[in-house]
Amino acid sequence: MDQQRIDKITEALYNYSASVIKEGILQYTSLEELLELSLYPIERTAFRAAWAAEHVLLANNNSKITFYKDAIISVYSKSNNWSVLRSYSKLVMEYLTLTDITQLNEIEFESILNKTFDVLENSECPIAVRCNCYDILCLLSAQHHWIVNELRHRIQLDLSINETPALISRAKKVTKKLERIAKT
């Protein structure tokens, strides 16, 4: 994508309200361009593109997520921008909810798994991203039971460090799901 096109899309992302972006961003850019810009080196541009892509992909009963799974997994795996990862961890979580996890090939599975554990290992990880990562690992654990114990330990460690209401709430929900998975 050339710089002039990037500048035009960036202007639309920066200048319009959330409601306009959610409902009309595709008048200014394509979903493919938003996915590409989610890895842009200017953090604000990457964040706005990721946020817009998230809202476009989650519209209409998540009907586009499966079609764009390769791009979603790619951005999720490559990004180190917490704002971008907030949107893309949610997209990965939604994708895994919608699909049969056995349909993930080994590379996709490993990519999601490695990135998710890497994110959780980072002490700078924001709570919203951390909570989404719990759900991602919980969803993967239904097919790979060894993740259950790893995730339980991770949640316990996180709670011993930082007991925020959001973290406690999500940890309880995920722990209940893990108990059901462990029984199967």
Side-chain angles (χ1 to χ4, degrees), residues 3 25 39 65 88 92 94 97 111 120 154 157 160 167:
Q3 190 60 47
I25 192 62
L39 290 171
I65 287 181
Y88 278 85
V92 169
E94 291 297 324
T97 301
S111 180
L120 289 175
R154 182 76 246 176
L157 176 63
S160 72
L167 194 64

Side-chain angles (χ1 to χ4, degrees), residues 6 10 13-14 34 36-52 75 78-88 124 126:
I6 291 170
T10 299
L13 289 170
Y14 287 6
L34 290 173
E36 182 180 336
L37 283 175
S38 294
L39 290 171
Y40 199 65
I42 297 173
E43 286 192 8
R44 183 173 179 218
T45 300
F47 158 65
R48 297 287 289 197
W51 184 87
V75 173
K78 293 176 184 175
S79 182
N80 292 313
N81 177 329
W82 291 123
S83 298
V84 170
L85 285 170
R86 181 177 182 155
S87 290
Y88 278 85
E124 301 295 315

